[in-house]
Amino acid sequence: MDKKINRQNAMDNERIAGGKVWLVGAGPSDAGLFTLRGKAVLEQADVVVYDKLVGQGVLGLIPSGVELIPVGKVSGYHPTPQYRINEILLEEALKGKKVVRLKGGDPFVFGRGGEELELLCEHDIPFEIVPGITSAISVPAYNGIPVTHRDFCSSLHIITGHTKKLEEAEVDYEALVKVGGTMIFLMGVSAMPKICKGLLDAGMRKNMPAAILERGTTAHQRRVVSDLTNLPKDAEKAGIQTPAIIVVGEVCSLADQFHWAEDRPLGGLKIAVTRPKDRNSTLASMLSNLGAEVVLLPTIETEAILENTALRENLEKIHQYKWVAFTSPAGVKVFYDEMRKMHMDIRSLSGLKFAVIGAGTRKAVEEKGIIVDLMPDVYSGEALGQALAIQLKKEEKEGKKPSLLLPRARIGTEEVTRPMDEAGISYTDLPIYETIDMESNGMVTYDDSVDYVAFTSASTVRGFVKMHPDIDYTKVEAVCIGEQTAAQAESFNMKITIAEKATMESMVECFLRRKEGMKS
Ligand code: SAH
């Protein structure tokens, strides 16, 4: 068919039905290696069709409400056959959906990306390709192996250990040995002895450095560096499993000198961070900056109380108050959303003072154009309550009438209000949102591979338990902010570590100490 007409048809289809497919490379696993373009595309997807090799961190970036279709092999089940995947993409696109086909590494490097496009082309479905970082290059990099080095090689070969029919590769070893250079075999774990033998038989020297790299770019990545003769034996001893890549070439010897990923302060640790959905986690970025693999595990979500007349009434008479205290970014959002509905903006709040529980909430308030007047040094409800009690008591002594509005969760903790009750200070406790336990989407969940779970509130512990009703909690290593959170984790018999201070920095300290402990 005329290519031009074909393109025009595709564009018309896009305009009329809106159906389109994005073939997106998810990278080798580490979410930090996912592209900006990939993330932008995910954020507007209606449906995501994903493989088993896509990292949990990347899956965690899929917004809620997006339909998910797993097509990779999940423990025991066979993967969806390729023709069926092709059909799924077509069917979903024909429904007018924005379909993201998310694949491990790069979609065109042994990813069968080309095959998936063929059927789409036949039906004039518009598509885009978002390349990804291939495991072939990034996994060696995370193991301190530069795939090329001027002193050692002048070419790089990426070879499959499997053919289309899943037989052992029909590789021309002699040609490879003749060309030389670094050789990278994907999908080669089971065929490894054959690959090594093939290269040796073709005349490669017996002590050519060779390595196998398992689960690269994850916290639990492992490498076995050996030589062509001994690699099969050494890999077997180490129990190396798929996914892994085999690297053959002089560059492998550099791993000894250049390894780095596991040496980062939190390298080697996989940490699940529970948090309310749709909230940026400062803790998560602090942990991943220190080298931990972070899995975002939203266990609770917040929902504004609808038709909240109490909130409306209080907003109408907001100038009867002197202080407004927020205990979460969610509270700030609900408060301002309601203001907007009432055609109010920050001008209606002039003269009021604002208190917040911690940095995340302060940011939310400041984004509204308001500077915060009071934030305790320590992140806890109690500290906020105490700071407010002291401040309001002082104002009372100065002859001012203390008046505080506390818009927060319906099941707000007494920690905030107790110090004020004790000081005999009156306030208005105003429920503006509900905290709801989240259901697992089955995609990102806790499993044995998680070393620690970070809990930042008692409600995240409860949400976690509801989400994972069948696991052995005695195996869960819980790192908790504050006594209340720890008490909740302890009530489920989790192993607990309590951050010395109720700050994110102190949480991070806990992990650093645990990592030190693991080394010694
Ligand atoms: N398109 C992918 C490759 C798909 S083939 C890419 O560009 O990376 C699947 C093979 O990739 C696996 O058998 C394994 O050899 C390799 N692989 C993918 N991710 C890996 C990882 N994190 N660590 C080690 N090998 C990986």
Side-chain angles (χ1 to χ4, degrees):
M1 196 195 281
D2 181 340
K3 263 214 166 125
K4 244 183 176 167
I5 297 176
N6 211 347
R7 270 278 136 228
Q8 189 55 49
N9 283 349
M11 276 155 58
D12 287 348
N13 275 351
E14 185 173 358
R15 240 191 4 254
I16 299 159
K20 181 166 174 173
V21 176
W22 283 260
L23 202 55
V24 179
S29 189
D30 182 345
L33 300 180
F34 188 43
T35 64
L36 292 173
R37 177 77 190 130
K39 189 161 177 274
V41 165
L42 264 192
E43 275 159 12
Q44 48 88 64
D46 297 315
V47 48
V48 177
V49 183
Y50 67 97
D51 274 352
K52 67 171 168 148
L53 272 179
V54 176
Q56 283 200 322
V58 176
L59 293 177
L61 296 172
I62 302 174
S64 53
V66 174
E67 189 189 340
L68 302 166
I69 307 181
V71 291
K73 191 158 61 179
V74 227
S75 59
Y77 293 94
H78 286 298
T80 312
Q82 189 62 50
Y83 77 87
R84 191 52 210 133
I85 297 177
N86 303 350
E87 283 173 4
I88 292 172
L89 297 179
L90 176 64
E91 285 163 16
E92 295 299 322
L94 286 174
K95 287 182 203 160
K97 292 192 180 165
K98 298 192 183 99
V99 186
V100 170
R101 169 71 176 114
L102 195 56
K103 302 167 77 74
D106 180 273
F108 284 169
V109 179
F110 298 123
R112 305 180 81 165
E115 288 167 63
E116 293 179 5
L117 294 185
E118 280 161 18
L119 191 64
L120 299 178
C121 277
E122 273 171 38
H123 289 82
D124 299 337
I125 302 290
F127 62 83
E128 280 186 35
I129 320 283
V130 182
I133 293 191
T134 178
S135 62
I137 292 169
S138 56
V139 171
Y142 266 53
N143 281 280
I145 300 176
V147 288
T148 71
H149 189 294
R150 262 169 46 126
D151 294 344
F152 298 126
C153 57
S154 56
S155 67
L156 161 70
H157 310 269
I158 302 174
I159 306 143
T160 169
H162 269 145
T163 59
K164 219 174 171 182
K165 292 197 190 93
L166 293 177
E167 294 147 359
E168 257 100 57
E170 300 136 3
V171 179
D172 186 343
Y173 292 109
E174 278 177 18
L176 279 177
V177 172
K178 198 163 160 213
V179 182
T182 306
M183 286 158 215
I184 291 168
F185 292 88
L186 301 189
M187 298 174 279
V189 176
S190 55
M192 187 192 20
K194 287 235 166 90
I195 292 169
C196 293
K197 186 170 180 301
L199 290 170
L200 286 170
D201 289 350
M204 190 173 270
R205 69 180 167 86
K206 282 190 180 141
N207 60 352
M208 175 62 88
I212 186 154
L213 313 171
E214 181 192 77
R215 285 184 286 174
T217 82
T218 71
H220 302 138
Q221 69 171 29
R222 293 199 298 159
R223 76 173 153 272
V224 173
V225 182
S226 180
D227 60 34
L228 209 47
T229 316
N230 294 301
L231 186 64
K233 183 173 63 112
D234 293 345
E236 201 190 328
K237 211 180 333 161
I240 295 290
Q241 286 178 1
T242 184
I245 69 169
I246 299 160
V247 187
V248 179
E250 303 283 359
V251 288
C252 292
S253 57
L254 295 168
D256 218 17
Q257 189 187 353
F258 290 161
H259 60 82
W260 61 275
E262 59 275 24
D263 313 328
R264 289 172 292 174
L266 293 179
L269 292 191
K270 182 167 175 178
I271 303 170
V273 176
T274 59
R275 45 136 215 182
K277 179 123 192 100
D278 300 330
R279 190 180 309 167
N280 286 333
S281 171
T282 331
L283 179 62
S285 42
M286 285 163 93
L287 296 174
S288 57
N289 283 340
L290 289 166
E293 179 184 349
V294 175
V295 182
L296 293 177
L297 201 63
T299 54
I300 53 172
E301 75 185 316
T302 51
E303 211 169 82
I305 295 171
L306 295 174
E307 303 297 333
N308 192 342
T309 33
L311 172 55
R312 296 183 76 91
E313 283 166 16
N314 276 290
L315 280 171
E316 271 161 17
K317 57 172 190 186
I318 193 74
H319 280 288
Q320 292 185 5
Y321 294 101
K322 194 142 187 17
W323 282 89
V324 179
F326 287 111
T327 56
S328 72
V332 178
K333 180 170 187 311
V334 176
F335 189 84
Y336 279 88
D337 284 352
E338 192 62 40
M339 274 179 51
R340 264 199 95 105
K341 278 192 221 147
M342 295 170 67
H343 298 286
M344 290 168 72
D345 62 21
I346 53 168
R347 288 170 297 183
S348 331
L349 303 175
S350 66
L352 279 163
K353 293 200 163 178
F354 286 80
V356 294
I357 193 164
T361 312
R362 180 176 61 193
K363 192 162 167 245
V365 171
E366 286 182 351
E367 275 167 8
K368 303 291 176 195
I370 289 174
I371 294 173
V372 163
D373 303 281
L374 187 147
M375 182 178 96
D377 293 339
V378 168
Y379 172 89
S380 80
E382 195 178 2
L384 175 64
Q386 281 167 352
L388 281 168
I390 291 167
Q391 177 66 29
L392 294 173
K393 201 82 205 159
K394 199 172 106 202
E395 291 181 9
E396 201 179 45
K397 278 196 190 131
E398 287 164 3
K400 296 177 200 148
K401 195 171 157 279
S403 49
L404 164 71
L405 182 64
L406 187 59
R408 59 181 188 147
R410 194 192 290 281
I411 48 148
T413 157
E414 279 178 16
E415 285 198 340
V416 184
T417 46
R418 199 183 308 118
M420 288 185 285
D421 291 338
E422 283 168 8
I425 299 213
S426 63
Y427 55 88
T428 303
D429 194 356
L430 178 65
I432 60 168
Y433 64 91
E434 311 275 6
T435 310
I436 303 160
D437 297 327
M438 287 210 29
E439 291 200 1
S440 166
N441 57 11
M443 200 174 50
V444 183
T445 50
Y446 170 88
D447 62 31
D448 299 350
S449 69
V450 173
D451 300 302
Y452 295 102
V453 185
F455 291 110
T456 48
S457 70
S459 55
T460 59
V461 179
R462 289 191 293 271
F464 176 85
V465 166
K466 276 229 173 119
M467 207 175 199
H468 306 92
D470 300 322
I471 61 167
D472 179 359
Y473 302 122
T474 60
K475 292 214 174 101
V476 176
E477 293 259 11
V479 174
C480 305
I481 197 162
E483 298 287 342
Q484 236 197 353
T485 311
Q488 187 75 83
E490 208 166 20
S491 72
F492 294 103
N493 297 319
M494 296 179 190
K495 291 181 210 158
I496 57 162
T497 306
I498 311 177
E500 235 160 62
K501 287 195 229 140
T503 61
M504 294 300 160
E505 286 76 14
S506 187
M507 288 279 272
V508 171
E509 271 300 315
C510 283
F511 291 111
L512 288 168
R513 273 202 305 276
R514 298 305 296 250
K515 168 89 195 273
E516 275 304 308
M518 280 164 80
K519 275 195 268 177
S520 56

